[in-house]
Amino acid sequence: MKAIRGAIALLLGSALLTACGSDGGGGTDGAGKTLDVLIGANTIYPEQQREWFDEVSATFKAQTGATVRFETFATPNDELTRIQTSVLSGQGPDVYALGTTFTPTAYATKAFVELSAEDWGKLGGRDKFLPSTLGISGPDEQHEVGVPFTSRPFVMAYNKDLLAKAGFDKPADSWDGLRDQARKLTSAGVYGLAVAYADSFDPWKFIWAMSLQAGNPLVDGGKARLDDPTTAAAYRTYLGWVATDKVVDPAAVGWKNAQAIAAFGAGKAAFLPMVSATSKVTLDKSAVAGRYGYAIMPTIPPGATALPAGGSGAASILSGDNLVVASYSKDKDLALAFVKMLTDVEAQRSYYKTFGELPTNAALAAELQADPALAAMVESSSKAVGTPFTGAWSQIQLALVNVVVQSVPALSSGTVDSAKLDALIKQAQSTAQGALDKAK
């Protein structure tokens, strides 16, 4: 699997930019038909998502005559269940919008259309997309199921005024350094960090990044490595921010991402780690508008002042959403026309303006190069690493999140139960290894 390298930067000015087409449904006749589409519920911009559903449905109806019926999933567990149910029953949504880390699982089921050269032609060609965003579409170019829909490199927002007042000219490049800065920045109702511990999607990404930076990729061939000491150190660092370091608002043990963004936007936190360009839409309308910036997250693991031997300076997972078409769909061409429409320039521009999701369309990415706010996103993309391309990964990341979920009761009382944490990690290791064994 390819790591994402210079996602936007590599494409800016590329000759590939002229390859994108935008001819709508391409003459596909969908009159009287209904296309079912499953997509993640947007918890940050729910009203905007409902409006987007209506707009997209109306446009596709005008292009093809077909009706689009959207369904949503709320959590990764829900996402995995919907995939499994559809695969077993041979019926369900025609098109799925999946997080990139779920694409290996979708591929492993063999229940989604493996895209032929002809299929790519109907989508406007592979050259229409940023090459880096194709890095997790399949195990190789000849076996791809995922069509890149959004690109979401993770970065960290920081309050320029608070850092300057504390004497910091920039965020630290190590997790220990960030913790120390956060301690100094915590006072009078303002906390160093805003972290969404109860979010269903993001907690595992901290653990994965810190472990990988320490030289532990969590999966080594067919062996799970969640029981490595580096992973325990990652959990203790992440949970310790609120429990022992006291640099996070105690209420954050119940926060989703939207609440963490709101706290930062209200000037109640100095750092907001693990956010993407989607936060820009909200922050530009908040109390910190014009007074915040984005930087890549630390790439030096806990307990270190430099990247250790064997460590990876991963700043983000290769993140975003892919669109896949179910093999059981009775309207494959209609589904491909829908996917094409969503990945054409105009639809991608509308999505970016509404939700802040970076485009996968190469031509539109070129247009965005003038926005200085995206510089950190570009740098993060250049230092992002993909998760293992194994059908077991979805269960592994759910096991990683479960450790955090099960730790919340202790966090709520301001502690990290060390013995329980070790037991939870052991359980997650067993789950991960079991999933890998089944995936062989």
Side-chain angles (χ1 to χ4, degrees):
M1 181 178 62
K2 305 169 186 174
I4 188 169
R5 298 295 179 197
I8 296 176
L10 281 175
L11 269 296
L12 302 180
S14 167
L16 300 177
L17 302 184
T18 57
C20 148
S22 184
D23 62 352
T28 304
D29 183 7
K33 296 180 178 179
T34 297
L35 198 69
D36 289 306
V37 178
L38 181 70
I39 190 170
N42 193 315
T43 57
I44 300 176
Y45 307 113
E47 291 184 13
Q48 292 89 334
Q49 188 180 44
R50 284 192 289 272
E51 293 172 359
W52 180 78
F53 287 163
D54 292 340
E55 293 170 5
V56 167
S57 299
T59 302
F60 197 60
K61 182 88 171 182
Q63 289 184 358
T64 67
T67 297
V68 179
R69 184 164 54 203
F70 283 98
E71 306 170 63
T72 61
F73 57 84
T75 66
N77 272 308
D78 190 17
E79 184 178 9
L80 181 59
T81 299
R82 292 301 303 270
I83 293 173
Q84 293 171 332
T85 301
S86 297
V87 169
L88 290 173
S89 65
Q91 58 185 355
D94 298 282
V95 177
Y96 292 66
L98 302 175
T100 49
T101 60
F102 271 62
T103 303
T105 297
Y107 179 83
T109 66
K110 302 185 184 302
F112 297 93
V113 174
E114 194 167 288
L115 299 163
S116 65
E118 183 181 2
D119 293 333
W120 279 112
K122 292 176 181 177
L123 295 169
R126 289 183 87 257
D127 290 350
K128 163 180 161 179
F129 301 91
L130 291 163
S132 53
T133 64
L134 292 159
I136 199 166
S137 290
D140 55 57
E141 284 191 24
Q142 286 70 47
H143 302 87
E144 295 176 320
V145 297
V147 181
F149 175 40
T150 66
S151 178
R152 197 180 306 126
F154 288 99
V155 293
M156 178 171 62
Y158 65 96
N159 186 310
K160 294 180 179 178
D161 290 350
L162 292 177
L163 263 67
K165 186 177 179 181
F168 300 124
D169 59 353
K170 61 182 179 181
D173 61 358
S174 69
W175 290 107
D176 286 359
L178 182 68
R179 176 204 58 205
D180 293 343
Q181 287 184 334
R183 284 173 173 164
K184 190 170 182 179
L185 287 158
T186 299
S187 66
V190 175
Y191 291 88
L193 294 163
V195 180
Y197 286 100
D199 193 80
S200 301
F201 291 92
D202 288 348
W204 71 268
K205 296 167 188 169
F206 288 93
I207 309 308
W208 175 85
M210 293 178 190
S211 298
L212 187 62
Q213 291 163 4
N216 177 26
L218 295 183
V219 174
D220 184 6
K223 180 175 172 50
R225 293 175 54 88
L226 279 64
D227 57 354
D228 190 274
T230 57
T231 303
Y235 275 113
R236 287 189 166 84
T237 298
Y238 175 72
L239 300 173
W241 290 335
V242 64
T244 55
D245 299 319
K246 311 295 185 185
V247 296
V248 176
D249 188 331
V253 296
W255 285 358
K256 305 287 188 181
N257 276 341
Q259 291 162 292
I261 293 172
F264 180 84
K268 297 296 184 182
F271 297 109
L272 176 63
M274 204 61 75
V275 292
S276 66
T278 60
S279 62
K280 189 173 184 297
V281 178
T282 295
L283 297 180
D284 282 348
K285 300 174 183 175
S286 75
V288 301
R291 298 188 291 114
Y292 77 95
Y294 289 111
I296 65 168
M297 287 185 286
T299 55
I300 297 173
T305 55
L307 196 65
S312 169
S316 171
I317 63 168
L318 197 168
S319 181
D321 292 322
N322 282 337
L323 299 169
V324 295
V325 176
S327 298
Y328 55 70
S329 174
K330 297 177 181 177
D331 296 299
K332 176 184 170 184
D333 281 350
L334 190 64
L336 291 175
F338 178 74
V339 172
K340 179 182 184 302
M341 184 187 79
L342 290 189
T343 53
D344 279 343
V345 168
E346 289 311 313
Q348 291 258 293
R349 178 182 287 111
S350 173
Y351 205 79
Y352 170 70
K353 288 182 177 178
T354 304
F355 303 106
E357 299 272 18
L358 295 179
T360 58
N361 185 294
L364 181 57
E367 290 183 20
L368 299 183
Q369 64 179 307
D371 188 345
L374 299 181
M377 318 293 177
V378 173
E379 184 180 4
S380 179
S381 292
S382 71
K383 296 179 178 179
V385 177
T387 48
F389 202 94
T390 167
W393 182 256
S394 58
Q395 290 174 279
I396 294 172
Q397 75 176 55
L398 291 175
L400 290 165
V401 172
N402 185 59
V403 174
V404 177
V405 171
Q406 299 301 321
S407 298
V408 163
L411 285 182
S412 298
S413 61
T415 61
V416 175
D417 186 330
S418 187
K420 183 176 182 180
L421 177 61
D422 291 341
L424 289 170
I425 294 173
K426 184 178 180 181
Q427 179 183 339
Q429 165 69 18
S430 177
T431 299
Q433 188 60 58
L436 284 169
D437 291 342
K438 289 180 181 177
K440 289 179 180 177

